Amino acid sequence: MYINYITSKSITTVVLRKESKADYLILGSYRPIALENTLSKILEKVIADRMVDTAEEHALLPQSQMGARKNRLTLSALTLLAATIKSAWAIRRDFVVSMLSLDISSAYNNVPHERLLYILRAKGFPE
């Protein structure tokens, strides 16, 4: 898999004071705002859309994954959850159904890129 990393991405961070703070010596009194290069944001969006389309086309994601997928709404997740609970209760009415839900939306930035590429290859993601 060939990936050309764009190293010319520049981000300017502007630090703004939050209004009505009593002490501006405290770091929490400021709000950093990152201003990114618009062209790189467009390119990232195009690449992300292509990856999502490819993952859907090759059925690389489990049916139970709802986040960041087209035509998968909160209602879809709730419907799947209700069906799973009903299936468990159909087996035994006294079953206790537990759920563990994880929000890993910001974890992607901390994933080692080489490991991610290895997993994509192992899953059959096209070169």
Side-chain angles (χ1 to χ4, degrees):
M1 181 179 292
Y2 175 77
I3 294 185
N4 184 13
Y5 292 100
I6 299 172
T7 56
S8 62
K9 182 175 182 179
S10 63
I11 298 175
T12 302
T13 302
V14 179
V15 180
L16 303 175
R17 282 185 173 191
K18 294 179 181 177
E19 291 184 30
S20 304
K21 291 293 179 177
D23 187 0
Y24 286 104
L25 295 176
I26 299 172
L27 288 178
S29 299
Y30 296 89
R31 175 178 291 117
I33 306 291
L35 306 173
E36 295 183 45
N37 180 326
T38 305
L39 186 57
S40 66
K41 289 175 85 173
I42 293 170
L43 182 60
E44 288 173 2
K45 177 69 173 144
V46 168
I47 291 170
D49 287 348
R50 286 186 178 182
M51 289 183 75
V52 167
D53 291 344
T54 301
E56 292 290 347
E57 179 183 327
H58 291 85
L60 299 176
L61 301 173
Q63 290 298 316
S64 59
Q65 180 176 328
M66 300 294 163
R69 295 182 75 179
K70 294 176 184 171
N71 302 319
R72 303 287 176 109
L73 309 172
T74 303
L75 184 58
S76 305
L78 292 173
T79 302
L80 176 62
L81 178 61
T84 303
I85 292 169
K86 288 178 183 178
S87 295
W89 285 344
I91 295 169
R92 275 189 49 194
R93 192 71 184 149
D94 61 340
F95 270 5
V96 174
V97 179
S98 300
M99 181 177 94
L100 172 64
S101 178
L102 301 173
D103 180 5
I104 57 171
S105 59
S106 61
Y108 179 79
N109 294 336
N110 299 313
V111 172
H113 292 120
E114 290 304 317
R115 182 71 179 154
L116 180 59
L117 293 173
Y118 170 81
I119 291 170
L120 286 172
R121 285 186 198 103
K123 291 277 187 188
F125 198 88
E127 293 288 330

